[in-house]
Amino acid sequence: MNAMIGEKIGEGGCSEVFEWENASKIIKLARANTDIDAMKREYDHNCMAWEQGLPVPQPFEFVEIDGRPGIVFERIYGETLMKRFVQHALHRTSSEEGVTEQGHIEDKHDDVRITAQMLSEIHSKSNLNVPSQRETIKNSIGWVNYLTSKEKEDVITLLESLPSKQQLCHGDPNLGNIMIREGNALMIDWMNATMGNPEADLAEYIIMIRYAVLPAYLPDEAVDYINTIRESIIDVFMDEYTKLAGITYEEVDAWIAPIAARKLSADGIGEEEKNVLVNEIRKRLADLQR
């Protein structure tokens, strides 16, 4: 492998991340399931977000290493929101000396609020050259194998009935794509950016908080604790976002079924979580028929 590549520091379903240039930068290299067009799209979207002054890592160049497309980025020294939530749960369920329960609760709420603030900033941008959100969602639903043809048609009909906006959306604001650095949130992984409705991004965030299957290594007490705070996280998040941008939970709730259906086409979630989403979609479709 290229001599400029250092230690592996992270990975996801579509890529691996390594140190670059004596660890002053990082390089994100595509896995075999991610082609050059997808990586180029991520690079272009990240450049666009950086040029708009949004809180994202600075992109430096698009490269190809040993046949693998990659992107060189500024190295962010921080933690993902997923890691911080897990740490909070582990601390909460341990008797770590000198750490108060109230202090951890406030830290958690602060992370949630600054996430809402960051998304509000992203959504304030419009008229940018990124794909159509609505068409992207419909295409993804078309590939889903977990719903019947009629169910997919019904979800798309619901999607098309929702108001249309033209604001910048990230497309995948999950807890692994949100980093906290020195009290500020940054958004990584811009491959799925679109122009459309902020409600779709908010629905994506809510779906992950509410339905995500937790890592198997977590102790039962930590899992139980996270399950008890899922809805309070959503409440804090939506309260902050509504104050900033005026969009209410009720407006976001209408997007849950279409976004859940789109998530069924993703590689990054397992069968257990997909089954949960299928049940939620079918429940919501049934409610619409009443």
Side-chain angles (χ1 to χ4, degrees):
M1 191 172 277
N2 188 290
M4 297 177 72
I5 293 180
E7 294 293 321
K8 182 175 176 178
I9 58 174
E11 62 183 320
C14 298
S15 63
E16 296 177 295
V17 179
F18 299 87
E19 294 177 340
W20 182 259
E21 290 186 351
N22 299 319
S24 61
K25 300 174 183 175
I26 61 100
I27 183 168
K28 181 177 183 178
L29 289 176
R31 291 188 184 276
N33 63 353
T34 304
D35 62 25
I36 190 169
D37 291 337
M39 291 298 286
K40 187 66 166 61
R41 185 167 64 248
E42 178 179 353
Y43 176 69
D44 290 343
H45 292 171
N46 207 114
C47 288
M48 171 270 301
W50 174 260
E51 290 163 3
Q52 289 293 317
L54 293 173
V56 301
Q58 181 178 0
F60 291 109
E61 59 180 327
F62 186 85
V63 298
E64 191 167 336
I65 306 293
D66 297 333
R68 299 173 68 182
I71 307 170
V72 177
F73 286 109
E74 160 193 13
R75 184 169 186 175
I76 301 297
Y77 289 92
E79 298 172 314
T80 67
L81 199 55
M82 174 66 80
K83 181 177 180 180
R84 288 172 70 88
F85 276 11
V86 168
Q87 288 175 337
H88 167 76
L90 292 173
H91 287 154
R92 169 62 178 76
T93 54
S94 71
S95 56
E96 182 176 280
E97 185 176 354
V99 177
T100 67
E101 177 182 340
Q102 186 61 36
H104 279 307
I105 290 172
E106 288 307 315
D107 288 346
K108 167 178 64 69
H109 285 175
D110 286 346
D111 285 351
V112 173
R113 291 188 186 99
I114 64 175
T115 298
Q117 293 160 13
M118 175 192 63
L119 281 170
S120 174
E121 183 180 358
I122 290 170
H123 297 155
S124 71
K125 307 299 182 180
S126 59
N127 300 317
L128 298 171
N129 185 26
V130 292
S132 161
Q133 179 187 76
R134 201 157 294 221
E135 291 307 309
T136 299
I137 294 172
K138 287 195 288 187
N139 288 340
S140 294
I141 293 172
W143 286 101
V144 167
N145 295 322
Y146 296 82
L147 301 172
T148 67
S149 296
K150 176 64 164 57
E151 287 168 338
K152 290 192 280 190
E153 289 173 9
D154 289 345
V155 172
I156 290 173
T157 297
L158 169 59
L159 172 66
E160 291 178 336
S161 73
L162 297 172
S164 180
K165 300 177 182 178
Q166 293 298 313
Q167 293 168 246
L168 177 63
C169 296
H170 177 265
D172 189 18
N174 71 68
L175 305 190
N177 286 337
I178 299 167
M179 296 195 70
I180 307 297
R181 179 181 65 180
E182 298 178 353
N184 295 303
L186 296 91
M187 188 69 85
I188 64 174
D189 194 355
W190 281 79
M191 188 179 295
N192 299 304
T194 60
M195 195 61 56
N197 287 59
E199 292 91 340
D201 268 359
L202 305 180
E204 177 85 30
Y205 181 89
I206 287 171
I207 287 168
M208 182 166 189
I209 296 295
R210 183 174 285 157
Y211 302 116
V213 174
L214 298 170
Y217 64 79
L218 279 180
D220 290 345
E221 310 84 61
V223 171
D224 291 342
Y225 173 66
I226 290 176
N227 287 338
T228 67
I229 65 171
R230 290 181 190 256
E231 292 303 317
S232 69
I233 291 172
I234 293 170
D235 289 344
V236 170
F237 174 78
M238 281 308 309
D239 180 67
E240 183 69 16
Y241 192 93
T242 301
K243 288 177 183 176
L244 294 166
I247 294 175
T248 65
Y249 177 84
E250 289 70 26
E251 292 171 292
V252 177
D253 189 65
W255 286 79
I256 295 291
I259 300 305
R262 178 185 69 182
K263 284 180 71 67
L264 294 174
S265 67
D267 294 332
I269 60 176
E271 291 299 309
E272 181 181 355
E273 190 168 330
K274 287 183 177 181
N275 288 333
V276 170
L277 295 182
V278 168
N279 290 336
E280 181 63 23
I281 293 163
R282 287 176 174 160
K283 176 181 175 297
R284 287 172 176 266
L285 290 178
D287 289 343
L288 289 174
Q289 302 300 319
R290 291 173 184 164

